[in-house]
Each structure stands twice: as C-alpha cells, then as structure tokens.
Amino acid sequence: MSSLKLTSVNKIYPSGVPALTDINLEVDDNEFIVVVGQEKSGKSTLIRLISGLDDTSSGTVEINGKDVTGLEPKARDVAVVFKGDTLFPGDTIFDNLAFGLKVRKAPQTLIEERVRVVAEILGITDLLYKKPKNLVSSEKLKVAFGRALVREPQLFMFDEPLSGLDSKLRADMLNIIINLQIRTKAPYIYATRNLQDALAIGTRLVILREGFIQQADTPANLYDYPANTYVAFYIGQPTINLIFNANLVSAEDGGVAVKCDFGSIPVSGKIKARIENLEEYLDKDRKVILGIRPEDTQIVEEGGFFTATAVQNSYAGNAIYTECTAGRSNLNVKFREVGENWSGDWDEGAPFKDHDFQVTTDTEHLYLFDGETRLTILAKDEGYEKTSHKDADRMPKSFIEEREILKQLAPQKKKKK
C-alpha cells in the first residue's frame, strides 16, 4: 500500500517568484491523479517537489506516512518520466532499463528478471540489445516508461511525457500508461495541460492556476459542481458561457430569476434551493456571475429566454454550435445535435451571420458564482458523488485573495537612484 500527502506546501524561487502556494493534497494507493493547468501553473514544480528534485520552501511531503521532505530523490523511492526523457545513447536498451536497479546495487538475477518481465509487458523484448538511436519515438517512450517500472517504486509520476506527439501515438501511449497503472496498482500522478487526456485517464483531477489548487475532485464532480468560475471554464468543451454583472431578482411566481443586460432567466426550484445565503443576493445590488453551458442551451422558434445575434457556426463533439452576441456578452449556444457518424453540410439550417434568433436553456443546469470572489454560491446536493477525500471539501481561495497573496509575494523592483 502506497500513499502521498502534501501539507501546506509552498515553493518560492530564489528570485522571490512564488511557484506553489499552500498546497494540500492526499493521494491513495491505486489512484490515478492528473494534475492539469496552463503554462506556469505549477504542474512541473509540484512533480519536482514530490520527487525531491526541488526543495520546498515550507510544508511537508509524506510518502507512506513517512516525512520525506528533506530526503534526497533516491531515498524517496519514486519514479518520474519527463517530457522527452533522454535515454543513455551508448547503452543498450537492457542497460537503460536496468540502470535504476544497478545504481541501487540490486543482485544481477533480480535485474535480469525484472528487465525481462517489464520488456514483455511493454512489448519491447526484441529491442533489448539495440541502441536508442535505432528506435522510433514510440519505442523510446516505452523504454522510458519501462525504466521507471522496472524499479517497482512506491509512486509513479509523469511530467507531460506525451507533449508534442500526434493524436494517435498519444492515445496509444496513454493506453499503455493506463494498463501499467492497472498492473502495478500504485499511485500515479500525471501532469498535463491537455484536458482531453486528463479526462480520459484520471480518477481525480487536480486543477492548478498560478500555483494555487483550484479544486481536486472527480471529472464528473468538477463538471457539475465547480468551485469557482475558473474550474467551470476549464472543464467542458465548448467552454461555459459566463455572464458577468448579473443580479438575482424575485420572480412573479415567488421564484427567483437571474437578470442580466440582455434579459431575465428563471432559476428552477432545484437551483434556488441550492443557493447559499440567498437573502444576501436577492433583490440586492450584490452581483453574481451566471454560468450556462452551451450544451444546455437550445435555439428555438419562439418562447426563448433571450434574443441573440449570430456570429458564426462551429462543430464540437456531436453537436453544431452557434457563436453569438447577446447584450454585452459573447455566447456559444447549441443549434442541434448530430450523430457520431453524421456527415453532410454540418451547418445546414444554422443561423447565418447577423441573424437574430431566440435561445432557451435548461434551468435545472445553471451555475451561479459570487460576482466579487468568483466562488460558487451553490451548495452541493444529492447529485454530488461524495468521495473519501478531504481535498474535495476544501474551497479554494477567492480570486481577490489569490491576487493579494501574489501581490505580497511578488519580488519588489528596486527603485532607481
């Protein structure tokens, strides 16, 4: 059984630039965690801190209940595969695979056994006595995976190893990694900026932005119960529509509606029941941000909640969407669904540029966020798939708090004399 626990981990570079702030995360045995985020979000730094390749500025790293914060990388019993992981060009593939065991002075019989077992698992037995220069890129990647696997470490980590590969090769390599995790049943941490890869392989996703964890939860929970506008925007394709400067107002039937510059959208009883501190928003000046996913909208002939003007049409997933404007907002709404094997004029019948049309939306699937903090104001309900992880219950810092922390930590420019 293997586990990982990060407690209040911070990393500030010598230059004074913060890389990670107040990272708290627990990873259980047999979990496949995917850390996702844009460039400079802190993904690679997190991998390096866990492996010991970088030191933490503060906080603790525990593996299997043991504090390894001050230990050297070789004492942590973890394996890391990096992007473009370099093989030793002068050594055979056998020796490349055996390197980690030889460094640890493992018996030759054990080295022979593990190398051949791993080579068989990866389908590279016939490559063992070749040199890296004679391998294609997919074979080199398999060797890099095998070099980590042959050591049988307590924890496997991958730092964007498939970046730059074409879609087919990347899918093949992802399948190999998934199968390896199923075989080893060890914790896997995989860092990537590719959301599609993350959704395909992760049992849980950890979303990072500028060194802050925004949310850590299952893909389904992140989609249905985002903690803030960033998570809501990050998870989903096409991206969610966010309407700023809206207000919650009383409706004639005793219900609640969201009023924005292009109209009023009713809130279902289910969503109303989830609004926390409703009295602080209802018929007040306090602003909210309304989130509407494009897949929850529909263009209709009449009876829509608002009127929009078409800009252009696009195809995503199994549906045709129309990019449009409504008031001061740029939106994406669904024109119609199409089958997976559908072919033909994909935008036939869709609104043409500058054409006005009406839009309705599923009021059971609205998202509401505080206009200032950008945190959700909707409580979780029975649809939330509760996990055993405390991380899922931890709310991120507000947008304002993050900006203030980054401002305080930012290196101060020296005044010119």
Side-chain angles (χ1 to χ4, degrees), residues 196 223 232-241 292-295 314-323 331-334:
Q196 295 307 113
Y223 179 89
F233 187 81
Y234 200 89
I235 300 294
Q237 186 65 34
T239 54
I240 193 171
N241 299 304
I292 303 175
R293 295 203 180 275
E295 53 269 36
S314 59
Y315 176 75
N318 296 324
I320 296 167
Y321 293 90
T322 298
E323 295 176 36
L331 308 176
N332 209 359
V333 300
K334 186 172 68 177

Side-chain angles (χ1 to χ4, degrees), residues 33-73:
I33 300 295
V34 182
V35 182
V36 290
Q38 299 297 330
E39 189 176 356
K40 296 184 179 180
S41 60
K43 302 186 302 298
S44 295
T45 303
L46 182 62
I47 296 292
R48 294 180 66 83
L49 291 185
I50 295 170
S51 64
L53 294 172
D54 269 351
D55 296 326
T56 62
S57 298
S58 60
T60 58
V61 178
E62 296 177 45
I63 297 177
N64 284 351
K66 178 183 178 181
D67 188 345
V68 299
T69 310
L71 296 184
E72 294 293 318

